[in-house]
């Protein structure tokens, strides 16, 4: 158990940001950071850059910015590197992704053009709709993991990095269930040497990162680091991990709206969600195996928030459907429709309709930034293993065995901020407030 008011190592030197998958999300993130550093854009959506934190009583009026309260790495200290199955540099990939306007990309072109992807660990067994030439080869998956570690070390030495963080921004892999090979470090390493089919490319990256004591965040719904072998390895190496599946569009709306409905004890008969998107993510999810992985992540949210076992009169047997459709003309600008059938006093029915025309990568990029900075902070605080306080950013938050994941966005934010208060030795905020009226 980490102690209240810990000694936090200062973020001296450069922080390397390792990204498997230089696609729409990661190029939007990298280009955005470079634009913010040039002061031609604002870090909208980033809690680490714009968020504040209340300290002590309301009457004290102590509300510093989070980045002034805890020692986070500066944006100027970030150095980017990554892997991709296509050979396009970061600028070329960003142009093809079509997320950012030319004015932003041209302003940072000299910085992002230098970022060229290393050969990726990839197999079409896990992502059937993609195929690229920039791929590693090796006699087994252990050798591929060692090649990833070599890339990391070369990146570290070339850029004289003090610390590193890895965030998976690659595609959604085919659905996997936990298998015997995931049960222990020994079984997992044997599986790497034996090319076990239950070890996906994302797991190879996670293993390589943890072996190097590099914090790892899983931005996709893949079964990656949330298996006993890799959570055990994270503990053994003293390394923070978190995931999975960054919470952006439709699920973000669910974690905002569902807690409100439950707080007012309004019943629900059903929630139907459908999406259209046309980027690489949409193409990948057009494959049923990859969609199954995403579906499991998106479906888990409402049950945990609404707790039908505690409120059977309101939420027992409600219908929850999720659909995703690949529609190329839409590009990265995803559109989500939700129909929510609720009921109120005496059981009278009502409906809520949501039409969210969101920009998936625009919502995801600040999450990647916050994960990088908070995981680096956790490492410098001596925190290890699952970082449940970062659940705020994920559709399917990792959690300790025997616990259920917390999905309520507002409880998640309270958990995150109380963790920061705890690390700095400040009183936790309960919002009780009775002391003002004694």
């Amino acid at each position: 158990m980490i102690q209240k008011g810990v000694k936090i190592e200062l973020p001296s030197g450069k922080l390397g940001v390792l990204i498997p998958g230089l696609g729409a999300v990661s190029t939007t993130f990298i280009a955005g950071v470079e634009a913010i550093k040039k002061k031609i854009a604002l870090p909208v959506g980033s809690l680490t850059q714009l968020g504040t934190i209340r300290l002590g009583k309301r009457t004290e009026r102590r509300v510093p910015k989070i980045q002034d309260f805890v020692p986070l790495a500066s944006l100027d200290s970030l150095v980017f590197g990554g892997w991709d199955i296509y050979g396009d540099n970061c600028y070329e990939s960003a142009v093809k992704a079509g997320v950012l306007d030319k004015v932003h990309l041209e302003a940072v072109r000299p910085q992002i053009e230098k970022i060229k992807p290393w050969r990726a660990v990839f197999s079409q067994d896990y992502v059937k709709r993609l195929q690229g030439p920039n791929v590693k080869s090796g006699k087994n998956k252990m050798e591929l993991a060692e090649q990833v570690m070599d890339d990391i070390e070369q990146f570290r030495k070339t850029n004289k990095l003090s610390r590193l963080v890895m965030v998976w921004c690659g595609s959604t892999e085919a659905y996997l269930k936990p298998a015997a090979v995931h049960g222990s470090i020994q079984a997992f390493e044997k599986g790497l040497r034996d090319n076990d089919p239950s070890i996906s490319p994302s797991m190879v990256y996670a293993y390589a990162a943890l072996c190097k004591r590099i914090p790892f965040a899983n931005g996709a719904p893949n079964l990656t680091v949330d298996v006993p072998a890799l959570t055990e390895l994270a503990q053994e190496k003293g390394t923070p991990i978190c995931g999975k599946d960054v919470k952006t569009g439709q699920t973000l709306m669910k974690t905002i709206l569902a807690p409100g409905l439950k707080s007012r004890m309004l019943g629900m008969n059903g929630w139907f969600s459908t999406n259209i998107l046309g980027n690489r993510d949409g193409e990948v999810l057009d494959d049923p195996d990859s969609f199954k992985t995403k579906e499991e992540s998106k479906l888990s949210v409402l049950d945990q928030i609404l707790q039908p076992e505690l409120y059977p009169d309101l939420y027992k047997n409600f219908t929850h459907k999720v659909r995703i459709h690949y529609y190329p003309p839409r590009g990265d600008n995803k559109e989500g429709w939700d129909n929510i059938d609720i009921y109120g006093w005496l059981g009278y029915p009502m409906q809520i309709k949501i039409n969210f025309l969101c920009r998936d990568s625009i919502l995801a990029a600040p999450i990647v930034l916050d994960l990088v900075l908070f995981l680096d902070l956790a490492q410098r605080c001596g925190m290890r293993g699952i970082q449940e306080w970062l659940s705020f950013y994920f559709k399917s938050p990792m959690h300790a065995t025997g616990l259920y994941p917390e999905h309520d966005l507002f409880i998640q934010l309270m958990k995150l901020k109380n963790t920061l208060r705890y690390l700095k030795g400040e009183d936790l905020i309960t919002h009780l407030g009775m002391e003002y009226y004694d």
Side-chain angles (χ1 to χ4, degrees), residues 52-65 426 429 436:
T52 62
I53 182 166
R54 187 191 119 197
L55 306 176
K57 296 180 179 180
R58 280 177 280 170
T59 50
E60 295 177 31
R61 303 192 186 281
R62 288 194 295 145
V63 191
K65 276 193 165 185
E426 290 279 347
I429 300 296
Y436 301 117

Side-chain angles (χ1 to χ4, degrees), residues 29 33 46 48-49 75 78 365-374:
F29 157 62
V33 169
S46 169
T48 61
Q49 303 304 298
L75 299 191
L78 303 185
I367 293 178
V368 177
L369 174 60
D370 285 358
L371 290 173
V372 166
L373 300 183
F374 278 143

Side-chain angles (χ1 to χ4, degrees), residues 315-327:
Y315 307 118
K316 187 178 181 181
N317 299 323
F318 71 90
T319 300
H320 186 198
K321 296 285 186 181
V322 175
R323 298 289 182 264
I324 298 176
H325 302 282
Y326 177 46
Y327 181 59

Side-chain angles (χ1 to χ4, degrees), residues 42 50 91 132 136 163 180 192 198 239 253 272 286 307 310 322 337 356 377 435:
L42 287 173
L50 298 180
Y91 171 79
K136 294 184 185 299
R163 307 171 318 284
L192 288 171
S198 292
T239 305
M253 293 296 103
F272 180 81
D286 210 29
Q307 298 176 293
L310 297 182
V322 175
W337 293 287
F356 189 14
L377 173 70
E435 69 275 15

Side-chain angles (χ1 to χ4, degrees), residues 120-134:
V121 178
F122 180 76
S123 168
Q124 277 198 298
D125 292 340
Y126 304 92
V127 182
K128 294 183 175 64
R129 296 297 172 96
L130 298 183
Q131 186 173 8
N134 199 42

Side-chain angles (χ1 to χ4, degrees), residues 82 167 187 203 215 247 259 280 289 309 321 323 350 365 402 434:
V167 181
M203 291 178 179
K247 182 161 52 186
R280 193 188 299 179
D289 289 338
E309 71 283 0
K321 296 285 186 181
R323 298 289 182 264
M350 295 174 278
M434 290 180 67

Side-chain angles (χ1 to χ4, degrees), residues 231 234-235 238-242 375 383-388:
T231 55
Q235 284 286 344
T239 305
I241 54 175
C242 64
L375 278 177
M383 301 168 82
R384 63 175 66 193
I386 296 168
Q387 304 298 300
E388 193 186 347

